[in-house]
């Protein structure tokens, strides 16, 4: 073997983990770009329509009108997409893909406390599982959806919570909530932590409305009324009158009048979350592991019992389940099952295939 070969092999041996991280990142990116030309139903019927409508107005004027169902922050991004000369579909998908990597990075930060632990074989495995999870690449690369964006920011929220950096945590929660109403699935974690730990000052709560108000300023500047802008989420809750929107939850087992069961679902959710809160508060639970489990459990309770849930809303549970699997190692199979059920629920909408009857 020549000296050059020896040096090259020595380099690979010394840096094999870093090379592995880079290789997985590249592979995961190409998996996603393989679907970049695919136009999902949501893209054709909603996202692309909104972008075209925004493009009819100069500058920010488009977000001053009642275009789209999403909040101002994401519509602002779509407005930028509308004004750029690049492929609109690719731009929308690319932003979600970037947050897939941010998601994987913060899962590493939560699982491993030290940088040396991250750059290990186990760290490489965690990185790989998150980035090559079908739930992850289908949502961003195939579906062109933004669930990975607010989920990644909620992972930041959890990271700052367990590290007791409350200002950062509340800023992240404010941003996540400004992006997607479903960020409230994480709210019980913050509330329970406040009462159980007695560490966080309530003054940090004020950060959320400040961040939210800053996020809607562009729409106000563009001429949209304050009350109309603030009512975006209220209108979202009245958009769909079905107990479940392809989501494998309680309402595939029971069904009935929407208004009647809607109240039942909200009350059931509040009841279960309240029981969990009592348990944590009475036992003054503050351990990192417990709050990782609480984040998963809170999201599962919300999606399983609340009405009008889309199948995509289980995305946050899937990602928190992967995190949970690496912390509670013996229960990895439960995380696998959660992801499998969610994946099966994706197939009727994305691929027109019903693998298993949801009941």
């Amino acid at each position: 073997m020549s000296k050059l070969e020896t040096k090259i092999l020595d380099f690979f041996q010394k840096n094999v983990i870093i090379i592995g991280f880079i290789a997985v990142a590249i592979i995961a990116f190409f998996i996603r770009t393989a679907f970049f030309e695919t136009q999902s139903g949501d893209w054709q019927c909603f996202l692309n329509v909104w972008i075209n409508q925004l493009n009819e107005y100069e500058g920010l004027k488009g977000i001053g009108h009642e275009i789209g169902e999403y909040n101002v922050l994401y519509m602002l991004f779509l407005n930028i997409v509308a004004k750029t000369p690049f492929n609109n579909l690719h731009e929308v998908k690319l932003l979600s893909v970037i947050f897939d990597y941010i998601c994987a990075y913060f899962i590493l930060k939560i699982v491993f406390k030290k940088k040396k632990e991250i750059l290990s074989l186990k760290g490489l495995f965690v990185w790989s599982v998150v980035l090559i999870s079908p739930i992850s690449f289908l949502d961003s690369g195939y579906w062109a959806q933004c669930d990975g964006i607010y989920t990644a920011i909620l992972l930041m929220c959890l990271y700052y919570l367990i590290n007791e950096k409350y200002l950062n945590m509340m800023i992240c929660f404010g941003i996540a909530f400004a992006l997607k109403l479903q960020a409230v699935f994480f709210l019980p974690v913050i509330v329970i932590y406040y009462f159980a730990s007695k560490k966080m000052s309530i003054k940090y709560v004020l950060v959320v409305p400040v961040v939210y108000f800053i996020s809607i300023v562009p729409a106000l500047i563009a001429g949209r009324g304050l009350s109309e802008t603030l009512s975006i989420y209220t209108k979202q809750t009245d958009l769909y009158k079905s107990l479940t929107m392809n989501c494998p939850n309680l309402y595939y087992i029971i069904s009935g009048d929407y208004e009647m069961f809607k109240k039942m679902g909200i009350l059931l959710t509040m009841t279960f979350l309240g029981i969990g809160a009592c348990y944590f508060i009475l036992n003054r639970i503050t351990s990192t592991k417990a709050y990782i489990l609480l984040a998963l459990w809170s999201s599962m309770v919300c999606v399983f019992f609340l009405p009008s849930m889309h199948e995509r809303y289980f995305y946050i549970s899937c990602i928190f389940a992967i995190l949970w699997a690496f912390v509670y190692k013996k229960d990895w199979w439960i995380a696998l099952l959660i992801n499998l059920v969610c994946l099966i629920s994706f197939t009727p909408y994305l691929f027109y295939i019903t693998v298993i009857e949801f009941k």
Side-chain angles (χ1 to χ4, degrees):
M1 185 177 288
S2 67
K3 289 183 179 180
L4 179 61
E5 284 179 289
T6 303
K7 286 183 179 179
I8 292 171
L9 290 175
D10 286 343
F11 174 81
F12 272 88
Q13 281 185 329
K14 289 178 182 177
N15 300 282
V16 65
I17 296 297
I18 295 174
I19 293 168
F21 268 88
I22 296 169
V24 170
I26 294 170
I27 291 168
F29 181 75
F30 280 113
I31 289 173
R32 286 159 173 78
T33 57
F35 303 120
F36 263 32
E37 299 302 328
T38 302
Q39 297 185 14
S40 67
D42 281 352
W43 169 260
Q44 293 175 344
C45 299
F46 301 104
L47 294 168
N48 192 40
V49 173
W50 300 340
I51 290 170
N52 290 332
Q53 289 174 345
L54 289 166
N55 198 36
E56 294 174 4
Y57 299 91
E58 293 182 1
L60 293 176
K61 290 181 180 179
I63 58 172
H65 295 267
E66 196 171 344
I67 297 173
E69 300 168 7
Y70 287 10
N71 210 346
V72 177
L73 202 53
Y74 195 71
M75 294 307 297
L76 181 61
F77 164 68
L78 294 184
N79 188 71
I80 294 169
V81 169
K83 302 298 188 293
T84 54
F86 309 109
N87 185 299
N88 293 342
L89 178 59
H90 293 179
E91 285 186 82
V92 170
K93 290 185 175 184
L94 186 59
L95 181 68
S96 295
V97 168
I98 290 169
F99 275 88
D100 287 345
Y101 288 88
I102 295 173
C103 188
Y105 173 72
F106 272 90
I107 286 180
L108 284 171
K109 294 267 284 182
I110 294 170
V111 174
F112 305 103
K113 292 183 179 180
K114 298 178 181 178
K115 189 177 179 180
K116 288 182 179 179
E117 293 175 342
I118 292 175
L119 295 175
S120 63
L121 192 60
K122 184 181 176 183
L124 177 59
F125 183 59
V126 174
W127 177 253
S128 303
V129 169
V130 179
L131 288 181
I132 306 181
S133 162
I135 295 299
S136 178
F137 66 69
L138 285 175
D139 192 271
S140 58
Y142 191 101
W143 211 332
Q145 280 295 350
C146 61
D147 301 284
I149 300 175
Y150 79 90
T151 299
I153 299 171
L154 290 179
L155 279 169
M156 295 183 205
C157 208
L158 179 61
Y159 171 77
Y160 290 126
L161 181 146
I162 61 182
N163 285 283
E164 300 180 9
K165 296 181 179 180
Y166 305 124
L167 178 60
N168 291 352
M169 177 188 73
M170 297 309 285
I171 290 172
C172 286
F173 182 75
I175 295 170
F177 181 69
L179 276 166
K180 208 82 163 70
L181 177 59
Q182 285 68 43
V184 296
F185 297 166
F186 190 82
L187 182 60
V189 180
I190 298 174
V191 174
I192 291 170
Y193 179 85
Y194 170 75
F195 285 101
S197 70
K198 296 182 180 178
K199 291 181 179 180
M200 184 181 75
S201 172
I202 199 168
K203 67 183 180 183
Y204 290 108
V205 174
L206 298 173
V207 173
V208 177
V210 171
V211 171
Y212 187 84
F213 182 78
I214 291 170
S215 75
I216 66 171
V217 165
L220 301 179
I221 293 172
R224 197 167 187 175
L226 179 61
S227 60
E228 184 188 344
T229 307
L230 291 175
S231 66
I232 290 173
Y233 282 157
T234 307
K235 291 176 181 177
Q236 279 186 15
T237 59
D238 291 328
L239 275 175
Y240 304 102
K241 300 295 183 181
S242 297
L243 285 171
T244 177
M245 303 294 292
N246 209 37
C247 181
N249 62 11
L250 179 66
Y251 304 105
Y252 264 102
I253 302 170
I254 61 172
S255 60
D257 178 74
Y258 170 78
E259 290 299 331
M260 180 173 60
F261 278 90
K262 175 185 177 181
K263 293 176 183 177
M264 181 209 74
I266 293 169
L267 292 171
L268 273 179
T269 305
M270 291 171 64
T271 301
F272 283 113
L273 292 175
I275 292 169
C278 289
Y279 178 80
F280 269 71
I281 293 166
L282 287 172
N283 292 282
R284 296 182 181 179
I285 298 171
T286 58
S287 71
T288 297
K289 280 188 174 183
Y291 280 89
I292 292 170
L293 176 56
L294 181 62
L296 168 61
W297 179 79
S298 174
S299 67
M300 289 288 290
V301 167
C302 290
V303 181
F304 195 79
F305 292 106
L306 286 174
S308 301
M309 293 289 103
H310 292 252
E311 68 283 276
R312 290 185 295 103
Y313 297 169
F314 258 121
Y315 182 97
I316 181 176
S317 299
C318 291
I319 298 301
F320 277 119
I322 292 171
L323 168 61
W324 178 62
F326 286 111
V327 177
Y328 292 80
K329 302 177 186 67
K330 65 178 181 178
D331 293 330
W332 61 269
W333 63 273
I334 298 176
L336 180 63
L337 187 61
I338 291 169
N339 276 264
L340 181 61
V341 170
C342 186
L343 181 62
I344 290 170
S345 75
F346 279 14
T347 57
Y349 185 80
L350 293 182
F351 310 115
Y352 310 104
I353 299 169
T354 301
V355 178
I356 300 173
E357 281 296 324
F358 282 6
K359 287 183 182 180

